[in-house]
Amino acid sequence: MSEEVKVFGAWGSPFSRRVELALRLKGVQYEYIEEDIFNNKSPLLLKYNPVHKKVPVLLHNGKPIAESLVILEYIEETWKSNPILPEDPYDKAMARFWAKFLDDKCLPALWKAGWSPENEREKAVEEACECLKTLEGALNGKRFFGGATVGLVDIAANFIAHWLGIIQEATGHELLSAEKFPHLFKWTDEFVSCSIVKESLPPRDKLLAFFKDRIAGAMDAPTEASK
Amino acid sequence: MADVKLHGFWASPFSYRVIWALKIKGVDYEYIEEDLSNKSELLLKYNPVYKKIPVLVHGGKPIAESLVILEYIEETWPGNPLLPSDPYEKAMARFWIQFAVAKASVYRAFFVSTGGEDQEKARKDWLEVLKILEDQALGDKKFFGGDTINLVDISYGVLAYWFKNTEEVIGIKVLEPTTLPRLSQWVQNFMQVPVIKENIPDSHKMLAYLRIVREKIIVAEQHNK
């Protein structure tokens, strides 16, 4: 059965990369459409996501779905191989809780801490570290948040595994250190070392250059355009 | 059969989301009222991350975050389904539930607005959010769930009840038949659903409470400026 699967994304967006990773983990073939989210969003994107006008959008047999975590749940339900959610309803609830924690609290705190002006930095860093500490606890010595294999929470935490380290390098401010958060730090290595994950991450040097440019000039926060 | 407990707060729309879902599914549960100014040891133990209500405890295992709880209830007690079975329709339901989360800051801005240009902008922004909801999520349906309510309706329960009192506290009407005819009708329809009608907080108490909460937030924000 031939199915049409398309992903509208942006090369640097952790949110659109989440969707690509999930599809790749399940061996789903898809066509990728790169959107110029800062300067020139395509008419198709605006048609498929009129409410938020953002990437990622998944198009399955002509039907569009927006919001990365909603898309991940849809992918999980539609393509059954290599499940990314536990079967047990309680464990599933825990996974959803942590994915939500990442989006509602953790990622905004990390982003804020990365780009805070000097006078707000201390408080922002404190909040970000609280979040990282919570995640360290949630990992609880496991190899992945999903246990033995990559799951929904690992995919949702992709920003921490790849983008965060690059932002740290660009800004010179460290948040996630091996000393302070040993398990989480080790997790970032485990995660990016998976071959399928590696293939689905944006190139490090391109991202670093992007963030350095952002520091040099004034730009809108990418999260607004690229979620 | 494991026991079910709900730690909630009488004035919280999030607490009511869980109550409505449990009632619709006919699940027996013990309700524990939390004093938010003096949270119980149990609550802090069950929700160490946010320290908030609602928390559902099923067979001794706690779940926090109302939307996560709703999904858990849907899966654990499949009778009277509250989500579509078709994966695409389910995704659409989840999208609209998430829309409320994305626009919570717009609601908050309106809630704490005190006057002048700021308030006018906050009102306009919030009206726009409601228009999108009315137009694209509700359309011409009786409920977001179609002929009967589902998790989307439950998620937007705050509009049906709490918002009316909020408008009275602020002194500005936004959700009216002239500006939002279909959404206004949805409010009426939603409040007539027996499970909803029989499970709402006391109106006078709510009005007084919202006044106090709003005052507190406004004062706190002025201190932070």
Side-chain angles (χ1 to χ4, degrees):
Chain A
M1 177 180 130
S2 86
E3 290 183 300
E4 181 201 63
V5 184
K6 299 190 189 191
V7 175
F8 291 80
W11 72 270
S13 159
F15 304 101
S16 78
R17 294 284 179 166
R18 284 173 177 178
V19 173
E20 291 194 81
L21 177 54
L23 290 170
R24 282 167 188 262
L25 283 169
K26 288 172 177 278
V28 179
Q29 304 284 3
Y30 64 95
E31 180 192 336
Y32 176 76
I33 295 122
E34 173 72 16
E35 286 284 334
D36 177 1
I37 54 174
F38 296 109
N39 301 311
N40 192 19
K41 292 175 182 176
S42 76
L44 267 186
L45 178 66
L46 301 178
K47 170 179 145 187
Y48 289 140
N49 191 2
V51 174
H52 300 297
K53 304 176 175 51
K54 289 178 177 176
V55 294
V57 171
L58 180 80
L59 196 71
H60 186 206
N61 294 329
K63 299 206 239 178
I65 304 167
E67 291 296 286
S68 66
L69 290 186
V70 175
I71 296 170
L72 291 183
E73 294 263 7
Y74 177 81
I75 289 172
E76 174 70 350
E77 239 171 295
T78 306
W79 294 282
K80 307 285 188 188
S81 66
N82 296 334
I84 57 174
L85 273 175
E87 252 192 70
D88 172 68
Y90 185 76
D91 294 338
K92 202 183 286 193
M94 290 305 100
R96 285 177 173 145
F97 175 87
W98 289 116
K100 203 172 192 309
F101 171 75
L102 280 160
D103 272 8
D104 289 352
K105 207 152 183 208
C106 194
L107 299 189
L110 288 171
W111 186 260
K112 200 171 164 197
W115 305 108
S116 277
E118 200 64 53
N119 60 329
E120 288 170 27
R121 182 162 302 131
E122 201 184 316
K123 182 161 184 265
V125 166
E126 204 181 297
E127 273 181 42
C129 284
E130 269 306 306
C131 287
L132 291 177
K133 188 169 158 210
T134 301
L135 281 179
E136 174 92 357
L139 194 52
N140 200 22
K142 297 189 305 247
R143 185 174 173 216
F144 297 109
F145 288 99
T149 52
V150 165
L152 180 82
V153 183
D154 303 274
I155 297 172
N158 65 344
F159 175 86
I160 296 174
H162 187 64
W163 281 255
L164 183 58
I166 298 168
I167 291 173
Q168 287 177 173
E169 191 178 324
T171 59
H173 298 118
E174 191 184 48
L175 283 168
L176 174 52
S177 69
E179 296 78 40
K180 284 211 279 188
F181 311 105
H183 292 130
L184 193 59
F185 192 83
K186 180 156 186 282
W187 168 83
T188 65
D189 248 345
E190 294 271 10
F191 183 72
V192 303
S193 303
C194 298
S195 55
I196 296 184
V197 174
K198 217 188 298 206
E199 290 161 13
S200 75
L201 291 174
R204 198 174 199 285
D205 44 6
K206 201 173 168 190
L207 259 187
L208 186 59
F210 171 84
F211 286 123
K212 282 189 166 160
D213 276 348
R214 192 186 185 276
I215 296 167
M219 273 175 77
D220 290 330
T223 41
E224 280 164 23
S226 67
K227 189 182 171 245
Chain B
M1 172 71 186
D3 62 318
V4 182
K5 300 186 199 211
L6 172 62
H7 290 252
F9 179 62
W10 72 271
S12 162
F14 306 101
S15 191
Y16 271 92
R17 284 172 172 175
V18 179
I19 290 172
W20 293 331
L22 289 170
K23 296 258 179 197
I24 287 170
K25 304 260 183 185
V27 177
D28 281 325
Y29 66 97
E30 181 193 336
Y31 178 78
I32 296 128
E33 177 70 25
E34 286 283 342
D35 175 359
L36 297 189
S37 62
N38 187 19
K39 292 173 182 176
S40 72
E41 287 294 319
L42 262 185
L43 178 64
L44 300 178
K45 170 181 139 187
Y46 285 149
N47 190 1
V49 175
Y50 295 107
K51 304 177 176 53
K52 287 181 175 176
I53 57 92
V55 172
L56 186 80
V57 189
H58 186 202
K61 300 207 251 181
I63 304 166
E65 291 295 281
S66 65
L67 298 183
V68 176
I69 297 171
L70 290 181
E71 294 262 9
Y72 176 81
I73 290 173
E74 175 65 3
E75 240 180 272
T76 306
W77 294 281
N80 292 333
L82 292 172
L83 275 179
S85 51
D86 171 68
Y88 185 76
E89 293 306 318
K90 201 183 290 192
M92 288 303 99
R94 287 180 173 142
F95 174 86
W96 286 113
I97 292 171
Q98 184 57 26
F99 181 73
V101 177
K103 299 300 175 185
S105 58
V106 181
Y107 182 69
R108 193 180 193 281
F110 176 66
F111 185 69
V112 302
S113 65
T114 44
E117 260 176 50
D118 278 352
Q119 184 162 66
E120 181 49 25
K121 179 174 192 301
R123 184 196 69 83
K124 266 195 175 139
D125 288 346
W126 181 236
L127 178 61
E128 198 182 308
V129 166
L130 293 180
K131 282 204 156 127
I132 292 173
L133 198 62
E134 179 186 71
D135 199 49
Q136 298 187 38
L138 184 62
D140 294 320
K141 302 193 302 266
K142 183 177 183 193
F143 297 113
F144 292 99
D147 292 328
T148 52
I149 63 172
N150 73 357
L151 287 191
V152 184
D153 300 87
I154 287 174
S155 300
Y156 285 101
V158 64
L159 292 180
Y161 191 71
W162 284 256
F163 192 61
K164 178 181 54 154
N165 285 310
T166 299
E167 285 174 324
E168 195 168 326
V169 168
I170 300 177
I172 296 182
K173 280 201 159 298
V174 181
L175 179 42
E176 300 176 279
T178 44
T179 49
L180 294 153
R182 289 173 293 179
L183 199 59
S184 297
Q185 188 57 55
W186 171 81
V187 168
Q188 298 308 314
N189 294 337
F190 184 74
M191 300 215 294
Q192 287 311 307
V193 173
V195 158
I196 308 299
K197 203 166 162 179
E198 289 156 22
N199 294 285
I200 45 171
D202 177 87
S203 196
H204 289 300
K205 227 175 141 192
M206 174 60 72
L207 194 58
Y209 178 77
L210 281 174
R211 261 190 234 281
I212 295 171
V213 166
R214 183 166 175 265
E215 219 22 69
K216 272 197 186 147
I217 299 176
I218 289 172
V219 166
E221 301 227 321
Q222 278 168 359
H223 273 287
N224 290 336
K225 278 197 177 135

